[in-house]
Amino acid sequence: MTKAYSRFITVLFSAFLGGILIWSLILPDLERSETENRTLSQWPDFSWEALKDGSYTKKVEEYFADQFPLRDKWTGLKAHSEHAIGKTEYNGIYLADGDTLISEVKQPDQDLLDKNLSYLDRLTANSTIPVTLGLIPSAAEIWKDKLPSGAPSWDQEAFLDRTNNLGIPTIDFHAALTEHADEKIFYRTDHHWTTLGAFYGANAVLEAFGKEPLNKEDFTPETASDSFYGTLYSQSGVHWMDPDTIEYWVKDEGLNITSWRTGHPVESALYDRTYLEKKDKYSSFLGGNQPLCVIKNEALKDAGKVLIVRDSYTDSLAPFLAQRFSEVHLMDFRQYRSSLKQYAEENEVDNIVVLFSIPNFITDRNLVFLPR
């Protein structure tokens, strides 16, 4: 390689970097990525303290990474090139058999995990209302045979064995989902279970409470969307996959739904179809995250009231539970900050269920509010 050619390559590369820098400065900052379904980093406020402790420079790096011109295109190009050389892992997400994306479950912070279990124990000890634990294994456990050979993922089944020895009644989602592992119980592009998976999950809940199971024949699935691309599609950069289909099974006739999305009770619905025109189509179930939601079935006067401390898996589960319970109360500690114990007593709840997907339970930092 001659010196002239080396200089040419250096100048060309410098011009490329300079052009990217100028381009990024000219373009207006984006507030949100619809592809990744998240808020993007903005230019941080400067302070000497932040500069000294390194947080300022870290935020600047995050800003440039998030605001990089044509970021989604570059991410997709990167995934394509890695796929061409045989790579099967993209940002902690595996491209598994059947064109299925499965998120790796990483080894949890043991201190946080122990704390979350202790909060659960304190809730059980202090509550006069029976508490049941329901932990939903992710696709990395139920569909582990689809993972690439040698792909690491934390042992969720071993964790379930540990929770079964806590002395707290549990819901066996593992058995319910494993029995139907050959069916479409998880989305291929998203981490949630499908409506079919939620149906099997609902029957696991009903079995735990001695209630009559639901029959598939009693439902007529409605295809709400056949163009759903979920969070794993967005985060992995694997943008050449076919979309998922979202189905609604339960009709909302005879159900009264109330949401406390803004801190005040507002009449709501089982499905918010406006989300079907957006990227985050899964949030069409109950309208997505909210501090509190109550579903009442007026046809079931004495079928019991259940309070579920929840994550987003419950959004597609709750419509099924409303077919067997008089009232289903959904509480999300990411936004709800009042006393769980007081709420349960004031609303004469019969049972409390702490219901999370395992990846969410082992990483959630809001369970500190459980014993309050």
Side-chain angles (χ1 to χ4, degrees):
M1 182 182 295
T2 65
K3 289 185 177 180
Y5 183 74
S6 298
R7 292 193 187 99
F8 171 74
I9 293 297
T10 301
V11 170
L12 185 63
F13 184 66
S14 299
F16 171 76
L17 292 180
I20 291 292
L21 177 61
I22 294 172
W23 192 1
S24 65
L25 292 175
I26 292 176
L27 289 176
D29 290 346
L30 300 176
E31 294 186 2
R32 185 171 180 80
S33 169
E34 288 301 318
T35 301
E36 297 181 66
N37 190 31
R38 68 179 181 89
T39 301
L40 298 176
S41 299
Q42 304 298 305
W43 187 262
D45 295 328
F46 176 82
S47 72
W48 290 109
E49 292 77 10
L51 182 63
K52 185 178 180 180
D53 64 23
S55 61
Y56 179 76
T57 53
K58 181 180 179 180
K59 290 180 179 179
V60 170
E61 291 175 3
E62 293 173 350
Y63 165 81
F64 278 111
D66 278 5
Q67 300 296 338
F68 196 84
L70 301 178
R71 184 178 188 276
D72 294 339
K73 300 294 185 183
W74 287 108
T75 302
L77 179 62
K78 176 176 178 290
H80 265 293
S81 61
E82 290 175 339
H83 181 64
I85 61 174
K87 188 173 180 179
T88 57
E89 183 270 326
Y90 310 85
N91 300 321
I93 298 167
Y94 297 111
L95 180 57
D97 290 348
D99 268 351
T100 300
L101 294 172
I102 298 178
S103 182
E104 175 190 359
V105 179
K106 298 184 182 298
Q107 181 77 25
D109 180 316
Q110 193 60 47
D111 183 56
L112 175 61
L113 181 57
D114 290 341
K115 286 181 179 179
N116 284 350
L117 291 174
S118 72
Y119 301 143
L120 179 65
D121 184 64
R122 286 166 54 190
L123 169 65
T124 305
N126 297 331
S127 176
T128 58
I129 300 172
V131 177
T132 300
L133 175 64
L135 295 178
I136 306 166
S138 74
E141 175 64 34
I142 304 301
W143 282 351
K144 56 188 174 185
D145 60 323
K146 293 179 179 285
L147 291 171
S149 178
S153 193
W154 187 62
D155 192 341
Q156 298 178 59
E157 188 173 11
F159 176 61
L160 287 173
D161 290 340
R162 177 182 175 185
T163 60
N164 288 336
N165 294 321
L166 294 175
I168 303 171
T170 58
I171 300 168
D172 195 352
F173 288 116
H174 186 277
L177 295 176
T178 300
E179 183 180 353
H180 300 279
D182 60 339
E183 302 176 44
K184 296 179 180 180
I185 54 176
F186 292 98
Y187 294 109
R188 294 178 303 100
T189 69
D190 192 68
H191 63 285
H192 292 104
W193 54 14
T194 60
T195 310
L196 177 63
F199 168 81
Y200 292 129
N203 274 342
V205 175
L206 298 177
E207 179 182 352
F209 286 99
K211 289 183 174 288
E212 180 184 357
L214 300 167
N215 296 313
K216 289 175 67 174
E217 294 73 19
D218 293 336
F219 300 95
T220 303
E222 171 198 348
T223 298
S225 173
D226 58 6
S227 59
F228 173 47
Y229 290 104
T231 55
L232 302 184
Y233 172 91
S234 302
Q235 296 167 5
S236 66
V238 179
H239 294 164
W240 57 84
M241 298 181 64
D242 292 331
D244 277 305
T245 296
I246 289 181
E247 293 181 339
Y248 298 157
W249 284 30
V250 178
K251 307 299 182 184
D252 55 9
E253 288 87 352
L255 300 178
N256 292 328
I257 300 97
T258 305
S259 170
W260 276 258
R261 195 178 307 278
T262 60
H264 303 283
V266 176
E267 183 178 350
S268 189
L270 282 185
Y271 312 111
D272 184 344
R273 295 173 184 268
T274 62
Y275 279 98
L276 297 178
E277 305 301 321
K278 303 176 183 179
K279 172 67 172 61
D280 185 18
K281 291 177 172 55
Y282 183 81
S283 286
S284 64
F285 291 101
L286 295 180
N289 297 337
Q290 52 192 298
L292 184 65
C293 179
V294 178
I295 307 174
K296 294 183 179 181
N297 189 332
E298 298 299 332
L300 302 177
K301 295 298 184 182
D302 301 306
K305 303 178 183 180
V306 61
L307 168 59
I308 300 178
V309 182
R310 59 172 286 274
D311 66 7
S312 54
Y313 271 66
T314 311
D315 292 343
S316 55
L317 174 76
F320 290 114
L321 298 184
Q323 307 306 298
R324 291 290 185 266
F325 289 94
S326 300
E327 297 182 12
V328 179
H329 298 246
L330 307 170
M331 184 178 291
D332 191 333
F333 280 138
R334 287 172 293 185
Q335 302 176 47
Y336 191 87
R337 287 294 183 265
S338 298
S339 168
L340 164 64
K341 182 174 181 291
Q342 181 179 348
Y343 179 90
E345 292 174 350
E346 289 179 351
N347 288 274
E348 299 180 335
V349 167
D350 299 300
N351 292 279
I352 298 172
V353 180
V354 179
L355 200 159
F356 283 78
S357 67
I358 291 178
N360 283 341
F361 183 86
I362 64 178
T363 57
D364 197 296
R365 295 187 177 276
N366 297 300
L367 293 177
V368 64
F369 299 107
L370 266 179
R372 289 177 53 176

